[in-house]
Amino acid sequence: MEKPHFLGCFLSFLFLFTSLVSSQTSPDSSAMEKLKASLKIPSSLDWSDSDPCKWTHVGCENQRVTRIQIPSQNVGGTLSPAIKDLPQLKIFEVMNNQISGPIPSFAGLSQLEEANFHNNNFSSFPSVFFTGLSSLSRIYLDYNSFEPWEIPDSTKEATTLITFSANKANIKGMFPGFFDSITFPSLQELHLAMNNLEGELPVGLAGSGIQSFWVNGQSLNGTIEVVRNMSSLAEVWLHGNRFSGPLPDFSMLTGLRNLSLRDNQFTGVVPTSLIDLKTLHIVNLTNNELQGPTPKFADGVIVDVTPGSNRFCLDDLGVACDERVNVLLSILEAVGYPEIFADNWKGNDPCDNWLGISCAQGNIVSVLFAKKGLTGTISSNFAKLTSLKILDLSGNNLTGTIPTELTTLPKLARLDVSNNRLYGKIPTFRQTTVLTDGNRDIGKERAPTPEGRSPGQSSGGGSGGGGSLSGNGEKRSNTGMVVGSVIGAVGGLGLVGLGVCLYARKGKRNCRVQSPTTVVIHPHHSGDQDGVKITVAGSSVTGGSETFSHMSSGPSDVHLVEAGSMVISIQVLKEVTNNFSEENVLGRGGFGTVYKGELHDGTKIAVKRMESGVVSEKGLAEFKSEIAVLTKVRHRHLVTLLGYCLDGNERLLVYEYMPQGTLSRHLFNWKVEGLKPLEWTRRLTIALDVARGVEYLHGLAQQSFIHRDLKPSNILLGDDMRAKVADFGLVRLAPVDGKQSIETRLAGTFGYLAPEYAVTGRVTTKVDVFSFGVILMELISGRKALDETQPEESMHLVTWFRRMYTNKDTFRKAIDETIELCEETLASVSTVSELAGHCCAREPQQRPDMSHVVNVLSSLAELWKPSEPDSDDIYGIDLDLTLPQALKSGKHSKGTAMWTTLHRL
Ligand SMILES: *[C@@H]1O[C@H](CO)[C@@H](O)[C@H](O)[C@H]1NC(C)=O
Ligand SMILES: *[C@@H]1O[C@H](CO)[C@@H](O)[C@H](O)[C@H]1NC(C)=O
Ligand SMILES: *[C@@H]1O[C@H](CO)[C@@H](O)[C@H](O)[C@H]1NC(C)=O
Ligand SMILES: *[C@@H]1O[C@H](CO)[C@@H](O)[C@H](O)[C@H]1NC(C)=O
Ligand SMILES: *[C@@H]1O[C@H](CO)[C@@H](O)[C@H](O)[C@H]1NC(C)=O
Ligand SMILES: *[C@@H]1O[C@H](CO)[C@@H](O)[C@H](O)[C@H]1NC(C)=O
């Protein structure tokens, strides 16, 4: 016992002593000794001196180790973590040995320029490796049997990298997105071949200075379009992946010498920009699905293209294809040369049983490309198939317009482009049946604005609202008026406001009543901003009720603000709706027609034009004040009335545009319209949105704001699929016959009417609660309140639903089959069903208040946490609070003007 203990003590003393001694030779001795101890240094290397600066293949400057270069020396063992204690290390080379174990962290070696680990038996690579390696220019990790690893984020710290080489290094994961010219301005070689990288080449590679790019031999996919913008490339190895789509334009790659594309799924014609490339030395194309003529490269170019290993029309180099093949390929170019056609179209004769092509006497008479998953556009080159009788492109994802060239096809009998995403005017065909259903923007002249783009983003606009009117000059001079929108980031707050601004020429008033009024529009709140002065030709107002489907209220940052009149001249409304053209009709209700209008900057509005005779005889002044109130009712889940016009018999209401249209469209018509069925969580969120809107209305004033016509066609959706209630308050504008109270006039729609309302005409808020219950049942079952296609006993949803709900088995059958039912969903559906039944109780006093409904729904929706943008805190009031709540919360300091108005209700 004693002896070993003593010996141990002595040895440690000895070790301490020697390290103290050697520290006099180099401060790095201790670390180097540890390195020596972990590595198996063969005797051929003389690492015996106490001063590591004297070891073979070790270099020092000022007694500090700067280089360790022991490549191909039969070194084994492992690499000690002490390596990171060599702060002056610049070059570290251990390639071509048998070192095993993990590569330790090199973090903090800020002088390190080169690290070379390739061809060893290292077992892992640390994710912090690159931290602080601010001088690293080359790293080689190739040919090690690492445990699977991903290229770590710390790599981004090595911004001076010129070479990153890690071929066959067991890298997994998606191709990293950070090898761009900003992160790595000096990167020239990126060698990541024979790993397990997945995904597409990231767009960030565009513009990079990479010259040598090896990513062959793994599972990369997608197109290689980005290569087009990697103009420094000299050598590109992409072979043995799953790349697809056409080859890009190579004309910017003016230094390209070696290009290996073999063993992928490339389609399309080999571009002449590649064939003509002067610098090309080697090109490998074998085993793809390339189409068109076999390319003939310049003499001297080494070409690897095994005959028959692609889909070239002929094997002879450079010989052109049949003209029909050329036309068909040019058509496919517009849809990105889909693989199904490349797979199928063999040889040089399209009449030889090619997919989608039928011929008569060698002429192509029909092209049937329905439901082929096509994206892209319709090629005008279809017009070159002069024998074409039937062209079916339905059920794809085609964008753009229908080319007018197609009208020149003399024999075209049927053109089916239904269920795509086309827009624009349908050209006039003479004898052709043209099917265009299911294209949301067809018939509309302009390209649809990109989805999710709010009017506030669609034009620049000066800050503070003092900026430009976006109306254009010519229009102004023609008509004397400009409709534009003013978008201003408000001060430092970055809030966005929008106004409809009208300039009316003096002396040419369009609407009768009012004299020109000046309205100041403030983005959000008044005072410090430059308001925008708006001169408006006066008029008075009108309303009506009933469905206005597709009406609107756009993004929640549209605030037309308090104060003054919201009168808009009829001429402006004519202009923006293209003179109320049929093309602009969004929908029709009992009280009028809704038109889409578009301001010069592309901002959309919805204009409701009342049928004459449905307008109240109320005194004009009273009527105007009603409308004035409606224009001020603001809630995240209520569609906003932006303005109105009264001119002769014309009564028009202007709303913001709701791009996704009505709930009924998404609930009952989704199939026909090519929409996705609503998921349960969406339905729940929509129900909650509506409940909140209605709760707010009810809270405004017990008597006045009862909607009375809640139904899916009065619920409108934005691009985020959040819902707003439309048409509220309009009932008050409808005619009242003399002394009879409005209670005697039945508004509403069959199927949604509370029984006591239908019988007595008595209105309380519980009438809306009933209708809301019906909407819940519709959301659950996907069935309409009144479904005439059902047998008599199931026609009336409420009756049917009550019956189905009494029994577990039948209840499941009542649930819309498009709803995916997991246990959680079923529980949620079940709770909502119970709530729906409660809302539809026969006796009004048994129905809950909307606040209860909101509570139940929000507790369910919370489980999925719908994101709730809190952007529209207008007037500093939380719009989700009911009025009494808001008042209690004392957040109304800025809203006094509004409250005054609201109390008038
Ligand atoms: C590499 O290391 C593993 C263990 O990590 C070992 O089984 C294998 O024999 C080593 N190979 C060589 C060539 O040293
Ligand atoms: C590409 O690969 C990724 C990951 O393997 C996969 O998620 C993606 O769907 C693929 N894309 C294509 C176009 O095949
Ligand atoms: C690629 O280059 C083209 C032509 O110069 C350019 O229009 C395009 O924006 C570039 N794409 C990227 C992603 O840099
Ligand atoms: C192209 O390949 C040849 C033959 O393999 C090689 O000698 C040459 O260095 C490569 N050129 C480039 C620019 O990588
Ligand atoms: C490309 O083709 C040339 C000529 O057939 C051949 O020597 C070379 O090895 C090929 N390169 C690749 C990466 O397949
Ligand atoms: C059309 O594209 C959208 C989105 O890119 C996709 O969700 C949809 O499935 C596609 N439809 C068809 C018919 O291919």
Side-chain angles (χ1 to χ4, degrees):
M1 280 290 197
E2 287 271 298
K3 265 189 184 169
H5 180 71
F6 170 76
L7 189 65
C9 254
F10 175 73
L11 283 177
S12 4
F13 173 74
L14 193 68
F15 180 73
L16 194 66
F17 178 76
T18 45
S19 37
L20 280 175
V21 168
S22 42
S23 75
Q24 287 166 357
T25 45
S26 163
D28 295 331
S29 300
S30 151
M32 289 301 284
E33 287 294 344
K34 287 181 194 158
L35 217 57
K36 184 171 125 185
S38 70
L39 290 169
K40 282 199 187 117
I41 303 289
S43 51
S44 55
L45 282 177
D46 184 6
W47 278 24
S48 56
D49 199 284
S50 63
D51 182 0
C53 293
K54 302 206 170 110
W55 297 355
T56 49
H57 302 286
V58 173
C60 291
E61 285 165 34
N62 304 321
Q63 292 290 78
R64 304 305 300 255
V65 174
T66 55
R67 303 161 170 268
I68 300 171
Q69 293 172 290
I70 46 170
S72 312
Q73 297 291 337
N74 256 320
V75 178
T78 63
L79 196 52
S80 166
I83 190 82
K84 72 169 190 328
D85 300 328
L86 299 171
Q88 300 299 317
L89 191 63
K90 283 192 184 137
I91 307 221
F92 184 76
E93 291 180 344
V94 294
M95 63 275 207
N96 306 324
N97 286 298
Q98 288 98 44
I99 307 171
S100 56
I103 290 182
S105 168
F106 277 50
L109 295 185
S110 62
Q111 306 300 309
L112 190 70
E113 291 166 10
E114 201 159 327
N116 204 324
F117 301 95
H118 67 260
N119 291 79
N120 274 288
N121 195 18
F122 287 114
S123 61
S124 67
F125 185 76
S127 62
V128 295
F129 183 89
F130 296 98
T131 308
L133 301 195
S134 53
S135 304
L136 189 66
S137 55
R138 296 180 199 278
I139 182 162
Y140 298 85
L141 296 165
D142 320 60
Y143 298 97
N144 276 294
S145 40
F146 293 125
E147 287 155 16
W149 61 292
E150 293 187 36
I151 299 180
D153 267 359
S154 73
T155 312
K156 286 189 276 189
E157 297 193 27
T159 54
T160 49
L161 274 176
I162 296 168
T163 298
F164 186 108
S165 187
N167 298 304
K168 205 154 173 52
N170 217 8
I171 304 171
K172 63 170 183 180
M174 293 292 155
F175 198 102
F178 48 65
F179 286 113
D180 54 65
S181 62
I182 294 166
T183 314
F184 298 104
S186 318
L187 192 62
Q188 292 175 5
E189 279 176 307
L190 185 57
H191 290 180
L192 300 170
M194 296 174 286
N195 285 296
N196 299 308
L197 286 170
E198 296 173 65
E200 308 192 2
L201 295 182
V203 288
L205 288 169
S208 97
I210 297 172
Q211 294 165 14
S212 182
F213 186 60
W214 298 357
V215 296
N216 49 289
Q218 41 208 330
S219 316
L220 296 171
N221 64 11
T223 75
I224 60 162
E225 184 57 27
V226 68
V227 165
R228 161 199 172 106
N229 291 37
M230 298 173 74
S231 55
S232 303
L233 285 173
E235 180 161 73
V236 185
W237 289 2
L238 303 175
H239 52 276
N241 277 293
R242 294 184 200 147
F243 289 119
S244 58
L247 302 183
D249 185 299
F250 283 90
S251 49
M252 298 208 293
L253 278 64
T254 50
L256 186 64
R257 283 187 62 74
N258 301 338
L259 176 66
S260 183
L261 301 172
R262 58 174 295 154
D263 302 307
N264 278 292
Q265 288 145 32
F266 291 115
T267 55
V269 178
V270 177
T272 50
S273 57
L274 178 61
I275 297 169
D276 295 343
L277 215 55
K278 294 277 184 302
T279 49
L280 206 59
H281 175 52
I282 302 174
V283 57
N284 301 32
L285 300 172
T286 299
N287 291 332
N288 278 293
E289 304 197 56
L290 295 167
Q291 296 159 288
T294 303
K296 185 178 188 322
F297 291 90
D299 294 344
V301 179
I302 302 166
V303 185
D304 163 62
V305 54
T306 309
S309 70
N310 274 289
R311 292 283 180 257
F312 297 128
C313 59
L314 297 162
D315 284 337
D316 313 291
L317 298 186
V319 175
C321 305
D322 184 283
E323 186 50 27
R324 295 165 304 170
V325 175
N326 291 339
V327 173
L328 288 175
L329 289 176
S330 72
I331 286 165
L332 288 193
E333 184 182 5
V335 291
Y337 298 109
E339 207 163 323
I340 42 166
F341 295 109
D343 277 343
N344 181 279
W345 289 3
K346 291 176 188 150
N348 199 22
D349 181 5
C351 297
D352 182 16
N353 208 14
W354 278 18
L355 178 69
I357 307 296
S358 316
C359 298
Q361 287 99 42
N363 295 316
I364 297 172
V365 294
S366 69
V367 172
L368 306 175
F369 289 173
K371 295 190 185 148
K372 293 284 184 284
L374 304 183
T375 55
T377 59
I378 302 177
S379 170
S380 59
N381 288 338
F382 274 114
K384 295 183 181 164
L385 300 173
T386 50
S387 305
L388 199 59
K389 292 182 181 155
I390 301 174
L391 175 52
D392 186 354
L393 302 171
S394 61
N396 288 294
N397 247 337
L398 296 169
T399 49
T401 58
I402 302 173
T404 43
E405 288 88 341
L406 302 193
T407 60
T408 64
L409 283 167
K411 295 178 178 158
L412 190 64
R414 183 184 167 89
L415 170 64
D416 189 348
V417 294
S418 52
N419 299 315
N420 280 289
R421 295 192 280 153
L422 300 168
Y423 76 94
K425 263 211 149 66
I426 303 167
T428 313
F429 289 86
R430 260 155 297 150
Q431 293 142 345
T432 309
T433 306
V434 183
L435 301 173
T436 62
D437 296 351
N439 288 280
R440 216 176 71 194
D441 293 300
I442 200 81
K444 304 177 186 171
E445 293 237 12
R446 298 175 58 145
T449 43
E451 289 195 62
R453 186 166 142 200
S454 78
Q457 292 162 328
S458 61
S459 88
S463 75
S468 61
L469 278 169
S470 54
N472 62 44
E474 317 127 55
K475 284 271 165 76
R476 183 188 305 213
S477 56
N478 283 346
T479 62
M481 71 189 68
V482 170
V483 177
S485 99
V486 179
I487 290 121
V490 175
L493 297 173
L495 299 171
V496 174
L498 171 126
V500 178
C501 311
L502 316 165
Y503 276 69
R505 200 191 295 165
K506 248 196 188 164
K508 197 184 175 200
R509 237 168 266 151
N510 315 296
C511 292
R512 280 182 306 151
V513 184
Q514 283 177 292
S515 51
T517 327
T518 298
V519 179
V520 178
I521 298 200
H522 315 278
H524 259 250
H525 30 101
S526 53
D528 43 357
Q529 308 303 329
D530 299 325
V532 178
K533 287 214 172 146
I534 299 171
T535 312
V536 182
S539 94
S540 80
V541 179
T542 283
S545 89
E546 200 51 40
T547 310
F548 54 100
S549 57
H550 296 268
M551 261 197 181
S552 94
S553 141
S556 49
D557 44 14
V558 177
H559 303 316
L560 260 178
V561 180
E562 43 186 288
S565 130
M566 299 314 262
V567 182
I568 298 172
S569 91
I570 183 118
Q571 304 238 321
V572 168
L573 296 180
K574 274 188 181 158
E575 190 189 337
V576 303
T577 59
N578 194 11
N579 205 12
F580 301 111
S581 74
E582 205 56 26
E583 274 173 12
N584 284 34
V585 172
L586 288 173
R588 289 176 217 276
F591 285 71
T593 307
V594 183
Y595 297 88
K596 181 167 157 180
E598 198 166 310
L599 308 186
H600 291 314
D601 70 340
T603 303
K604 287 168 183 157
I605 56 173
V607 180
K608 183 172 192 170
R609 189 186 202 188
M610 318 300 281
E611 231 99 73
S612 55
V614 302
V615 168
S616 167
E617 297 299 320
K618 280 182 191 178
L620 231 40
E622 193 188 341
F623 203 91
K624 277 194 278 179
S625 80
E626 292 273 1
I627 288 283
V629 169
L630 285 183
T631 57
K632 292 192 187 78
V633 173
R634 295 299 157 98
H635 187 272
R636 184 183 298 157
H637 299 302
L638 297 178
V639 162
T640 309
L641 180 64
L642 295 176
Y644 57 86
C645 174
L646 233 188
D647 182 45
N649 289 328
E650 292 279 7
R651 278 104 175 86
L652 300 132
L653 301 176
V654 178
Y655 296 83
E656 300 163 78
Y657 178 69
M658 292 286 280
Q660 287 299 324
T662 65
L663 172 60
S664 41
R665 173 171 178 254
H666 290 267
L667 199 50
F668 308 125
N669 245 15
W670 58 273
K671 243 184 212 158
V672 182
E673 303 222 29
L675 303 165
K676 269 199 239 139
L678 295 169
E679 296 158 13
W680 176 247
T681 50
R682 279 242 183 284
R683 296 182 198 217
L684 199 56
T685 312
I686 289 168
L688 179 57
D689 291 349
V690 173
R692 285 189 161 139
V694 176
E695 181 196 29
Y696 180 80
L697 278 182
H698 289 177
L700 283 177
Q702 279 293 340
Q703 283 302 305
S704 302
F705 278 84
I706 297 167
H707 190 293
R708 282 193 265 188
D709 201 7
L710 281 177
K711 56 183 173 181
S713 56
N714 275 339
I715 293 165
L716 303 181
L717 300 171
D719 270 333
D720 55 359
M721 298 302 279
R722 301 303 297 261
K724 301 196 185 203
V725 177
D727 256 2
F728 56 87
L730 292 193
V731 139
R732 284 170 58 87
L733 302 174
V736 180
D737 319 317
K739 287 206 156 140
Q740 292 176 303
S741 80
I742 50 168
E743 284 159 10
T744 58
R745 193 198 137 75
L746 207 63
T749 305
F750 290 114
Y752 302 84
L753 289 184
E756 82 278 8
Y757 183 34
V759 173
T760 68
R762 290 220 155 259
V763 184
T764 65
T765 53
K766 297 297 175 72
V767 166
D768 284 347
V769 176
F770 186 94
S771 308
F772 183 80
V774 180
I775 294 169
L776 288 182
M777 291 178 183
E778 291 180 311
L779 285 168
I780 294 163
S781 65
R783 284 170 62 151
K784 293 184 185 170
L786 261 188
D787 190 348
E788 247 110 41
T789 66
Q790 296 292 333
E792 189 81 51
E793 70 277 5
S794 317
M795 227 185 283
H796 184 229
L797 179 63
V798 178
T799 316
W800 175 79
F801 193 89
R802 278 199 193 113
R803 199 169 60 234
M804 300 297 272
Y805 187 62
T806 51
N807 170 314
K808 230 184 183 168
D809 288 336
T810 55
F811 171 56
R812 264 182 174 263
K813 282 183 205 139
I815 302 171
D816 191 337
E817 57 190 26
T818 67
I819 296 175
E820 273 180 41
L821 281 182
C822 61
E823 215 172 296
E824 208 180 359
T825 309
L826 188 61
S828 172
V829 172
S830 174
T831 309
V832 176
S833 302
E834 200 184 319
L835 180 65
H838 194 183
C839 291
C840 292
R842 278 188 190 86
E843 298 301 323
Q845 61 275 18
Q846 287 171 352
R847 296 175 210 144
D849 286 322
M850 285 314 286
S851 54
H852 173 80
V853 172
V854 167
N855 283 342
V856 174
L857 291 175
S858 59
S859 68
L860 288 175
E862 213 144 52
L863 298 174
W864 282 281
K865 293 204 176 62
S867 62
E868 182 88 47
D870 280 318
S871 55
D872 40 2
D873 192 10
I874 309 166
Y875 306 114
I877 296 162
D878 181 349
L879 293 175
D880 277 347
L881 296 180
T882 59
L883 179 62
Q885 283 171 318
L887 286 171
K888 254 185 247 158
S889 80
K891 285 167 79 184
H892 60 289
S893 49
K894 288 180 223 146
T896 359
M898 186 181 184
W899 296 135
T900 322
T901 318
L902 292 177
H903 283 305
R904 292 199 295 120
L905 300 168

